Amino acid sequence: MPAPLMATMSSPELPREADVVVIGGGIVGTCAAYFLARRGMSVALVEKGRIGAEQSSRNWGWCRQQNRDGRELPMATRSLALWEDISADIGEDLGFRRCGLLYLSDDEAEIDGWRRWRDFAATQGVTTHMLSAAEAAERGAATAKPWKGGVFSPTDGIADPSRAAPLIALGVRKHGGSVHQFCAARGIGLQAGAVASVVTERGTIHTKQVVMAGGAWASTFCRQLGISFPQSAVRSSILSLMPGANELPPALHTAGISVTLRGDGGHTLAVSGMANVDPTPQTFRYAADFLPMFARRWRILSPGDLQGWLAGHESRRKWALDRPTPMERTRILDPRPSARIVDLTLARARRLLPALSTLPVQATWAGYIDSTPDGIPVIDPSAGPRGFLLAAGFSGHGFGIGPGAGELVADLVTGKEPSVEYKQYALSRLRRGAWGKVSDF
Ligand SMILES: Cc1cc2nc3c(=O)[nH]c(=O)nc-3n(C[C@H](O)[C@H](O)[C@H](O)COP(=O)(O)OP(=O)(O)OC[C@H]3O[C@@H](n4cnc5c(N)ncnc54)[C@H](O)[C@@H]3O)c2cc1C
């Protein structure tokens, strides 16, 4: 069974023109479309499959500042406030709550790292509490083992990946925007070097402004416009258990296993960072760009298989706009999970948390996590032709910071002074090389 996902309605007709066309109905695209529509722009959101069906429904749901890279922390903080703001505005429960995130460890070096981050975060106005062994034992009582220490970030939280993007798409419509599922954008029409239209499989929308929020497909799409965007995806395999364990911390991270309460009362289980690298033409194209990240993370990566190559999201092919593209062939990237990782994850979770030992598996799935070479997204209005804004490469952090990213996109499109610094998200930084600047998780 794939990751659970709520259905949302499409608008009846594709508009002939719009102030902005947003390509990609993940959390980033839906939030961008939502804030643009809320500001009175006419917005069309086009999604080749279903809203939220790729990464944005397959993640753990963590919305965190804890351990964030300094380049992303202000957006993470802003996003937490926006999760609350969007829920209130659209009157829907996105499953967001500031339940706090609990990290437990037996590794002094890891605990020291958290302490250093705590000191840095304090300079940014973010509070996080180091836990002594006694405090870790108390907060981690469900694990039935002692810990050397931990950290608790009280203002962080979780939202529900199975509902968030579909409900925010409802918010787009509420503010007058339109939402089009099973509607792949095949390419961009240019006039005098500027965006003039978006060609979709259902017809052309005339517009001067496009937001490309295509997640793992973004680099391939950019290549059609002659834009080089170093991007690569790894396959992460996870599972959920049926409801029944009521005494666990809502969001718990340990080196061996992470456990998150789901909106339906079940739990998502995952091993942080562990993933498969499925080789694709794009993997080879950008191999040199990703060497610093690989050098840092190779221990948790395993070779994968050819399913990524076959899916076509990292193809190097150019396609024509008047016939079906790889995006229509692979409506939803739904890779097979690694049975080895799923079994290992389940065994570790049941060993650590006795409350989970008898609960049946609800679903197993995998998702391609798209990343940039330095682990920081690209949000750039100058990445391509005039009127083309790229917002992708969220590197495993995009769900939590989706609202902040969407607001920033709306600021950049409408010319409003952004509430967060954004120069660090420019595509050009990756052209210069990002050696030595790979983010932590
Ligand atoms: C297993 C896993 C765990 C994770 N855990 C967390 C977490 O706890 N917290 C966190 O913050 N992040 C987490 N992430 C990362 C997070 O899910 C992503 O960073 C985020 O969802 C990316 O959102 P997005 O909108 O950029 O991309 P996506 O959600 O992938 O959406 C992109 C959409 O664009 C569509 N599209 C692409 N090209 C076109 C086109 N040409 N025309 C029309 N539509 C198109 C696709 O169909 C897709 O729906 C996790 C990811 C995974 C896989």
Side-chain angles (χ1 to χ4, degrees):
M1 265 183 66
L5 177 64
M6 180 183 192
T8 192
M9 296 273 286
S10 290
S11 304
E13 276 178 29
L14 195 72
R16 293 171 58 87
E17 57 186 355
D19 292 336
V20 189
V21 176
V22 177
I23 302 173
I27 195 73
V28 174
T30 50
C31 286
Y34 165 79
F35 282 112
L36 286 161
R38 191 166 151 178
R39 290 180 194 181
M41 308 280 286
S42 69
V43 181
L45 171 63
V46 296
E47 163 55 51
K48 66 178 170 56
R50 291 174 58 205
I51 295 291
E54 293 195 350
Q55 294 173 84
S56 295
S57 59
R58 293 163 190 262
N59 60 74
W60 309 358
W62 285 39
C63 305
R64 69 177 165 95
Q65 305 161 103
Q66 179 65 41
N67 296 338
R68 278 274 174 260
D69 189 283
R71 289 166 287 182
E72 242 179 47
L73 183 58
M75 187 183 284
T77 304
R78 176 74 185 143
S79 294
L80 289 162
L82 291 173
W83 276 105
E84 288 163 340
D85 172 71
I86 299 172
S87 302
D89 175 59
I90 64 179
E92 298 282 354
D93 179 7
L94 305 176
F96 178 73
R97 54 203 185 102
R98 292 190 190 243
C99 53
L101 307 177
L102 176 63
Y103 291 62
L104 301 172
S105 182
D106 282 330
D107 179 350
E108 298 286 3
E110 187 175 37
I111 295 169
D112 276 350
W114 293 340
R115 192 171 291 115
R116 279 196 300 280
W117 191 87
R118 187 266 321 261
D119 295 344
F120 155 71
T123 67
Q124 309 295 305
V126 176
T127 303
T128 188
H129 302 304
M130 295 305 297
L131 304 179
S132 66
E135 290 164 332
E138 190 184 332
R139 283 197 180 268
T143 64
K145 84 175 266 312
W147 297 93
K148 283 194 174 157
V151 64
F152 182 69
S153 58
T155 56
D156 286 341
I158 53 175
D160 187 348
S162 70
R163 298 163 58 82
L167 287 173
I168 295 170
L170 207 64
V172 174
R173 296 187 66 196
K174 178 184 157 185
H175 286 291
S178 63
V179 176
H180 309 278
Q181 299 174 97
F182 300 96
C183 183
R186 290 179 176 166
I188 309 285
L190 299 176
Q191 250 173 29
V195 169
S197 61
V198 174
V199 180
T200 81
E201 63 178 304
R202 305 247 204 102
T204 297
I205 310 173
H206 297 280
T207 185
K208 290 194 164 74
Q209 179 67 54
V210 170
V211 176
M212 193 330 112
W217 299 80
S219 182
T220 308
F221 192 92
C222 283
R223 196 165 307 117
Q224 313 301 314
L225 294 165
I227 304 165
S228 173
F229 171 31
Q231 184 189 32
S232 188
V234 294
R235 174 165 46 96
S236 176
S237 300
I238 72 176
L239 70 150
S240 63
L241 296 185
M242 298 294 278
N246 302 324
E247 305 301 324
L248 304 187
L252 168 66
H253 168 92
T254 70
I257 185 79
S258 295
V259 180
T260 313
L261 183 63
R262 296 186 65 83
D264 66 359
H267 286 86
T268 302
L269 314 180
V271 178
S272 183
M274 188 179 277
N276 292 101
V277 180
D278 294 339
T280 67
Q282 200 166 285
T283 316
F284 296 109
R285 164 72 179 83
Y286 292 121
D289 300 84
F290 279 87
L291 278 177
M293 178 169 285
F294 186 71
R296 189 141 173 202
R297 299 190 180 160
W298 64 272
R299 283 184 192 80
I300 49 175
L301 298 175
S302 323
D305 54 36
L306 286 181
Q307 53 178 319
W309 196 297
L310 298 173
H313 61 295
E314 295 193 350
S315 152
R316 294 189 62 191
R317 239 171 22 91
K318 287 244 176 191
W319 55 68
L321 304 190
D322 59 354
R323 64 189 78 130
T325 65
M327 294 157 319
E328 288 139 271
R329 188 162 48 78
T330 304
R331 287 278 168 202
I332 295 174
L333 263 183
D334 185 21
R336 280 186 311 282
S338 152
R340 185 186 73 80
I341 293 179
V342 167
D343 290 349
L344 178 80
T345 305
L346 183 60
R348 283 185 182 179
R350 288 189 165 152
R351 206 163 43 238
L352 185 70
L353 296 156
L356 300 179
S357 59
T358 57
L359 293 178
V361 172
Q362 181 185 53
T364 61
W365 66 88
Y368 280 117
I369 301 183
D370 73 304
S371 181
T372 62
D374 60 4
I376 302 295
V378 169
I379 305 173
D380 190 345
S382 311
R386 203 163 61 252
F388 180 85
L389 189 154
L390 176 61
F394 281 81
S395 308
H397 317 154
F399 183 72
I401 64 173
E407 184 190 54
L408 174 58
V409 167
D411 288 344
L412 293 171
V413 167
T414 57
K416 184 169 179 281
E417 183 63 31
S419 62
V420 293
E421 181 57 57
Y422 67 95
K423 296 283 186 290
Q424 67 275 29
Y425 303 134
L427 176 63
S428 57
R429 78 183 192 274
L430 300 176
R431 294 192 189 120
R432 285 196 301 267
W435 293 84
K437 287 189 270 171
V438 178
S439 74
D440 292 322
F441 286 118

